[in-house]
PDB file of all heavy atoms in Angstrom:
ATOM      1  N   ALA A 206     164.162 103.299  28.921  1.00  0.00           N
ATOM      2  CA  ALA A 206     165.452 102.832  28.362  1.00  0.00           C
ATOM      3  C   ALA A 206     165.222 101.617  27.482  1.00  0.00           C
ATOM      4  O   ALA A 206     164.301 100.830  27.685  1.00  0.00           O
ATOM      5  CB  ALA A 206     166.397 102.481  29.499  1.00  0.00           C
ATOM      6  N   SER A 207     166.106 101.459  26.489  1.00  0.00           N
ATOM      7  CA  SER A 207     166.009 100.322  25.578  1.00  0.00           C
ATOM      8  C   SER A 207     166.386  99.029  26.319  1.00  0.00           C
ATOM      9  O   SER A 207     167.076  99.060  27.317  1.00  0.00           O
ATOM     10  CB  SER A 207     166.903 100.532  24.360  1.00  0.00           C
ATOM     11  OG  SER A 207     168.253 100.626  24.768  1.00  0.00           O
ATOM     12  N   LEU A 208     165.904  97.931  25.766  1.00  0.00           N
ATOM     13  CA  LEU A 208     166.150  96.613  26.387  1.00  0.00           C
ATOM     14  C   LEU A 208     167.397  95.925  25.824  1.00  0.00           C
ATOM     15  O   LEU A 208     167.786  94.874  26.300  1.00  0.00           O
ATOM     16  CB  LEU A 208     164.925  95.720  26.195  1.00  0.00           C
ATOM     17  CG  LEU A 208     163.620  96.200  26.841  1.00  0.00           C
ATOM     18  CD1 LEU A 208     162.486  95.246  26.540  1.00  0.00           C
ATOM     19  CD2 LEU A 208     163.823  96.379  28.350  1.00  0.00           C
ATOM     20  N   ILE A 209     167.963  96.521  24.792  1.00  0.00           N
ATOM     21  CA  ILE A 209     169.226  96.059  24.210  1.00  0.00           C
ATOM     22  C   ILE A 209     170.110  97.251  23.904  1.00  0.00           C
ATOM     23  O   ILE A 209     169.637  98.383  23.895  1.00  0.00           O
ATOM     24  CB  ILE A 209     169.030  95.210  22.921  1.00  0.00           C
ATOM     25  CG1 ILE A 209     168.322  96.047  21.816  1.00  0.00           C
ATOM     26  CG2 ILE A 209     168.261  93.943  23.215  1.00  0.00           C
ATOM     27  CD1 ILE A 209     168.272  95.384  20.471  1.00  0.00           C
ATOM     28  N   THR A 210     171.352  97.006  23.614  1.00  0.00           N
ATOM     29  CA  THR A 210     172.240  98.101  23.235  1.00  0.00           C
ATOM     30  C   THR A 210     172.018  98.466  21.776  1.00  0.00           C
ATOM     31  O   THR A 210     172.128  97.599  20.888  1.00  0.00           O
ATOM     32  CB  THR A 210     173.728  97.674  23.413  1.00  0.00           C
ATOM     33  OG1 THR A 210     173.909  97.273  24.754  1.00  0.00           O
ATOM     34  CG2 THR A 210     174.655  98.813  23.080  1.00  0.00           C
ATOM     35  N   PRO A 211     171.644  99.715  21.490  1.00  0.00           N
ATOM     36  CA  PRO A 211     171.427 100.123  20.114  1.00  0.00           C
ATOM     37  C   PRO A 211     172.721 100.024  19.300  1.00  0.00           C
ATOM     38  O   PRO A 211     173.816 100.266  19.836  1.00  0.00           O
ATOM     39  CB  PRO A 211     170.997 101.569  20.216  1.00  0.00           C
ATOM     40  CG  PRO A 211     170.592 101.773  21.619  1.00  0.00           C
ATOM     41  CD  PRO A 211     171.404 100.800  22.441  1.00  0.00           C
ATOM     42  N   PRO A 212     172.624  99.652  18.010  1.00  0.00           N
ATOM     43  CA  PRO A 212     173.831  99.500  17.190  1.00  0.00           C
ATOM     44  C   PRO A 212     174.544 100.807  16.855  1.00  0.00           C
ATOM     45  O   PRO A 212     175.719 100.799  16.569  1.00  0.00           O
ATOM     46  CB  PRO A 212     173.324  98.811  15.912  1.00  0.00           C
ATOM     47  CG  PRO A 212     171.859  99.074  15.897  1.00  0.00           C
ATOM     48  CD  PRO A 212     171.412  99.241  17.294  1.00  0.00           C
ATOM     49  N   ASP A 213     173.792 101.896  16.862  1.00  0.00           N
ATOM     50  CA  ASP A 213     174.409 103.204  16.613  1.00  0.00           C
ATOM     51  C   ASP A 213     173.515 104.293  17.204  1.00  0.00           C
ATOM     52  O   ASP A 213     172.523 103.995  17.852  1.00  0.00           O
ATOM     53  CB  ASP A 213     174.654 103.448  15.117  1.00  0.00           C
ATOM     54  CG  ASP A 213     173.389 103.432  14.273  1.00  0.00           C
ATOM     55  OD1 ASP A 213     172.307 103.732  14.776  1.00  0.00           O
ATOM     56  OD2 ASP A 213     173.455 103.120  13.063  1.00  0.00           O
ATOM     57  N   ALA A 214     173.867 105.547  16.990  1.00  0.00           N
ATOM     58  CA  ALA A 214     173.146 106.642  17.627  1.00  0.00           C
ATOM     59  C   ALA A 214     171.820 107.050  16.926  1.00  0.00           C
ATOM     60  O   ALA A 214     170.973 107.681  17.542  1.00  0.00           O
ATOM     61  CB  ALA A 214     174.046 107.888  17.697  1.00  0.00           C
ATOM     62  N   PHE A 215     171.671 106.628  15.692  1.00  0.00           N
ATOM     63  CA  PHE A 215     170.514 107.146  14.930  1.00  0.00           C
ATOM     64  C   PHE A 215     169.426 106.088  14.747  1.00  0.00           C
ATOM     65  O   PHE A 215     169.680 104.912  14.556  1.00  0.00           O
ATOM     66  CB  PHE A 215     170.976 107.650  13.571  1.00  0.00           C
ATOM     67  CG  PHE A 215     172.056 108.703  13.686  1.00  0.00           C
ATOM     68  CD1 PHE A 215     173.258 108.556  13.060  1.00  0.00           C
ATOM     69  CD2 PHE A 215     171.851 109.842  14.452  1.00  0.00           C
ATOM     70  CE1 PHE A 215     174.251 109.522  13.149  1.00  0.00           C
ATOM     71  CE2 PHE A 215     172.837 110.819  14.591  1.00  0.00           C
ATOM     72  CZ  PHE A 215     174.047 110.643  13.950  1.00  0.00           C
ATOM     73  N   SER A 216     168.195 106.580  14.769  1.00  0.00           N
ATOM     74  CA  SER A 216     167.028 105.708  14.803  1.00  0.00           C
ATOM     75  C   SER A 216     166.329 105.563  13.447  1.00  0.00           C
ATOM     76  O   SER A 216     165.760 104.514  13.166  1.00  0.00           O
ATOM     77  CB  SER A 216     166.057 106.300  15.814  1.00  0.00           C
ATOM     78  OG  SER A 216     164.904 105.532  15.970  1.00  0.00           O
ATOM     79  N   PHE A 217     166.339 106.577  12.646  1.00  0.00           N
ATOM     80  CA  PHE A 217     165.526 106.599  11.420  1.00  0.00           C
ATOM     81  C   PHE A 217     166.359 106.385  10.173  1.00  0.00           C
ATOM     82  O   PHE A 217     167.297 107.164   9.952  1.00  0.00           O
ATOM     83  CB  PHE A 217     164.803 107.945  11.298  1.00  0.00           C
ATOM     84  CG  PHE A 217     163.918 108.045  10.085  1.00  0.00           C
ATOM     85  CD1 PHE A 217     162.599 107.604  10.138  1.00  0.00           C
ATOM     86  CD2 PHE A 217     164.391 108.575   8.919  1.00  0.00           C
ATOM     87  CE1 PHE A 217     161.784 107.686   9.018  1.00  0.00           C
ATOM     88  CE2 PHE A 217     163.576 108.661   7.810  1.00  0.00           C
ATOM     89  CZ  PHE A 217     162.270 108.227   7.850  1.00  0.00           C
ATOM     90  N   PRO A 218     166.004 105.423   9.372  1.00  0.00           N
ATOM     91  CA  PRO A 218     165.034 104.341   9.505  1.00  0.00           C
ATOM     92  C   PRO A 218     165.671 103.106  10.176  1.00  0.00           C
ATOM     93  O   PRO A 218     166.874 103.057  10.411  1.00  0.00           O
ATOM     94  CB  PRO A 218     164.667 104.001   8.052  1.00  0.00           C
ATOM     95  CG  PRO A 218     165.963 104.244   7.309  1.00  0.00           C
ATOM     96  CD  PRO A 218     166.614 105.389   8.012  1.00  0.00           C
ATOM     97  N   SER A 219     164.848 102.135  10.459  1.00  0.00           N
ATOM     98  CA  SER A 219     165.367 100.891  11.079  1.00  0.00           C
ATOM     99  C   SER A 219     166.051 100.023  10.046  1.00  0.00           C
ATOM    100  O   SER A 219     165.423  99.547   9.106  1.00  0.00           O
ATOM    101  CB  SER A 219     164.205 100.103  11.713  1.00  0.00           C
ATOM    102  OG  SER A 219     164.626  98.817  12.073  1.00  0.00           O
ATOM    103  N   GLY A 220     167.340  99.820  10.235  1.00  0.00           N
ATOM    104  CA  GLY A 220     168.085  98.952   9.320  1.00  0.00           C
ATOM    105  C   GLY A 220     167.699  97.472   9.456  1.00  0.00           C
ATOM    106  O   GLY A 220     167.641  96.761   8.461  1.00  0.00           O
ATOM    107  N   HIS A 221     167.359  97.026  10.658  1.00  0.00           N
ATOM    108  CA  HIS A 221     166.947  95.655  10.846  1.00  0.00           C
ATOM    109  C   HIS A 221     165.606  95.394  10.145  1.00  0.00           C
ATOM    110  O   HIS A 221     165.428  94.347   9.506  1.00  0.00           O
ATOM    111  CB  HIS A 221     166.819  95.324  12.350  1.00  0.00           C
ATOM    112  CG  HIS A 221     168.110  95.077  13.035  1.00  0.00           C
ATOM    113  ND1 HIS A 221     169.022  96.090  13.308  1.00  0.00           N
ATOM    114  CD2 HIS A 221     168.661  93.948  13.533  1.00  0.00           C
ATOM    115  CE1 HIS A 221     170.053  95.579  13.929  1.00  0.00           C
ATOM    116  NE2 HIS A 221     169.863  94.274  14.070  1.00  0.00           N
ATOM    117  N   ALA A 222     164.667  96.341  10.305  1.00  0.00           N
ATOM    118  CA  ALA A 222     163.368  96.179   9.605  1.00  0.00           C
ATOM    119  C   ALA A 222     163.552  96.196   8.121  1.00  0.00           C
ATOM    120  O   ALA A 222     162.918  95.444   7.390  1.00  0.00           O
ATOM    121  CB  ALA A 222     162.424  97.293  10.075  1.00  0.00           C
ATOM    122  N   CYS A 223     164.428  97.050   7.643  1.00  0.00           N
ATOM    123  CA  CYS A 223     164.748  97.150   6.231  1.00  0.00           C
ATOM    124  C   CYS A 223     165.333  95.838   5.677  1.00  0.00           C
ATOM    125  O   CYS A 223     164.877  95.285   4.689  1.00  0.00           O
ATOM    126  CB  CYS A 223     165.714  98.321   6.012  1.00  0.00           C
ATOM    127  SG  CYS A 223     166.113  98.686   4.284  1.00  0.00           S
ATOM    128  N   ALA A 224     166.346  95.335   6.391  1.00  0.00           N
ATOM    129  CA  ALA A 224     167.018  94.105   5.918  1.00  0.00           C
ATOM    130  C   ALA A 224     166.095  92.908   5.973  1.00  0.00           C
ATOM    131  O   ALA A 224     166.113  92.073   5.047  1.00  0.00           O
ATOM    132  CB  ALA A 224     168.266  93.869   6.765  1.00  0.00           C
ATOM    133  N   SER A 225     165.280  92.802   7.001  1.00  0.00           N
ATOM    134  CA  SER A 225     164.412  91.621   7.116  1.00  0.00           C
ATOM    135  C   SER A 225     163.325  91.651   6.037  1.00  0.00           C
ATOM    136  O   SER A 225     162.987  90.597   5.462  1.00  0.00           O
ATOM    137  CB  SER A 225     163.804  91.531   8.502  1.00  0.00           C
ATOM    138  OG  SER A 225     163.000  92.635   8.786  1.00  0.00           O
ATOM    139  N   MET A 226     162.810  92.818   5.702  1.00  0.00           N
ATOM    140  CA  MET A 226     161.819  92.892   4.647  1.00  0.00           C
ATOM    141  C   MET A 226     162.474  92.658   3.282  1.00  0.00           C
ATOM    142  O   MET A 226     161.890  92.041   2.404  1.00  0.00           O
ATOM    143  CB  MET A 226     161.075  94.246   4.656  1.00  0.00           C
ATOM    144  CG  MET A 226     159.888  94.314   3.742  1.00  0.00           C
ATOM    145  SD  MET A 226     158.619  93.073   4.043  1.00  0.00           S
ATOM    146  CE  MET A 226     157.880  93.705   5.562  1.00  0.00           C
ATOM    147  N   THR A 227     163.680  93.136   3.087  1.00  0.00           N
ATOM    148  CA  THR A 227     164.415  92.868   1.865  1.00  0.00           C
ATOM    149  C   THR A 227     164.575  91.369   1.691  1.00  0.00           C
ATOM    150  O   THR A 227     164.275  90.788   0.601  1.00  0.00           O
ATOM    151  CB  THR A 227     165.803  93.535   1.898  1.00  0.00           C
ATOM    152  OG1 THR A 227     165.655  94.935   2.073  1.00  0.00           O
ATOM    153  CG2 THR A 227     166.583  93.277   0.633  1.00  0.00           C
ATOM    154  N   THR A 228     165.002  90.681   2.721  1.00  0.00           N
ATOM    155  CA  THR A 228     165.177  89.228   2.676  1.00  0.00           C
ATOM    156  C   THR A 228     163.850  88.540   2.334  1.00  0.00           C
ATOM    157  O   THR A 228     163.800  87.695   1.437  1.00  0.00           O
ATOM    158  CB  THR A 228     165.727  88.707   4.012  1.00  0.00           C
ATOM    159  OG1 THR A 228     167.020  89.240   4.222  1.00  0.00           O
ATOM    160  CG2 THR A 228     165.782  87.196   4.054  1.00  0.00           C
ATOM    161  N   ALA A 229     162.801  88.887   3.052  1.00  0.00           N
ATOM    162  CA  ALA A 229     161.496  88.242   2.872  1.00  0.00           C
ATOM    163  C   ALA A 229     161.009  88.397   1.451  1.00  0.00           C
ATOM    164  O   ALA A 229     160.561  87.422   0.815  1.00  0.00           O
ATOM    165  CB  ALA A 229     160.492  88.804   3.847  1.00  0.00           C
ATOM    166  N   LEU A 230     161.092  89.588   0.908  1.00  0.00           N
ATOM    167  CA  LEU A 230     160.530  89.818  -0.418  1.00  0.00           C
ATOM    168  C   LEU A 230     161.415  89.250  -1.530  1.00  0.00           C
ATOM    169  O   LEU A 230     160.901  88.742  -2.531  1.00  0.00           O
ATOM    170  CB  LEU A 230     160.264  91.307  -0.668  1.00  0.00           C
ATOM    171  CG  LEU A 230     159.062  91.804   0.179  1.00  0.00           C
ATOM    172  CD1 LEU A 230     158.752  93.258  -0.179  1.00  0.00           C
ATOM    173  CD2 LEU A 230     157.833  90.951  -0.041  1.00  0.00           C
TER     174      LEU A 230
END
Side-chain angles (χ1 to χ4, degrees):
S207 62
L208 299 178
I209 60 171
T210 303
D213 62 26
F215 304 124
S216 183
F217 181 88
S219 168
H221 282 72
C223 184
S225 63
M226 189 59 73
T227 302
T228 296
L230 290 184

